[in-house]
Amino acid sequence: MQTLAHFGGDGPGPWILFFPLIWAAVAIGVVTLLRRTAGRGRRGPWRPLPRVDEHAPIAVLGRRFAAGEIDEDEYWRRLTVLNEEFGHYATGTASAKGGAA
C-alpha cells in the first residue's frame, strides 16, 4: 500500500516540510488582510467607544437644539462662546460650518 509516508519506499523526502510552510503563509496572509481591513473604519473592533459626558456644556447645548428649545442661530452663537472657553470640540468644524461668526 502506498501512503504519503511510504511513497516509493524512501519516504516523503524533504518536500513534505513545504506543506506546513504553505499553511503558515496562508494563515499569516489572512490575519494581515483582516487587520488591515478592520482598521480602515473609524474604530477597529479593539478600540472602545469614547465616553461622552452627558453634563458637558456642549452636550447640553446639543440636546437643547435637538429638542427645539433654541434655534440654529442661537445654537451657533453659544457654541462659539463654549468653543472659545473649553477649546475645540472637534477639529475645525466650527469654522467650516460658519460657527466662528
Side-chain angles (χ1 to χ4, degrees):
M1 176 163 74
Q2 289 185 347
T3 63
L4 186 60
H6 295 95
F7 187 74
D10 293 333
W15 57 270
I16 194 74
L17 298 175
F18 286 113
F19 285 118
L21 293 176
I22 289 172
W23 283 111
V26 168
I28 290 171
V30 167
V31 168
T32 302
L33 180 69
L34 289 176
R35 289 189 76 191
R36 286 185 175 225
T37 57
R40 296 218 183 255
R42 288 179 38 201
R43 294 177 312 279
W46 55 88
R47 294 183 192 146
L49 291 172
R51 303 226 38 177
V52 177
D53 184 15
E54 295 178 7
H55 302 293
I58 294 175
V60 172
L61 181 66
R63 277 196 306 274
R64 289 187 63 199
F65 177 64
E69 295 176 18
I70 58 175
D71 63 352
E72 185 177 2
D73 292 331
E74 174 119 5
Y75 171 77
W76 285 115
R77 184 176 58 80
R78 291 183 182 212
L79 185 63
T80 303
V81 172
L82 290 174
N83 194 25
E84 289 174 2
E85 184 176 341
F86 293 104
H88 292 288
Y89 61 93
T91 53
T93 56
S95 61
K97 292 184 180 180

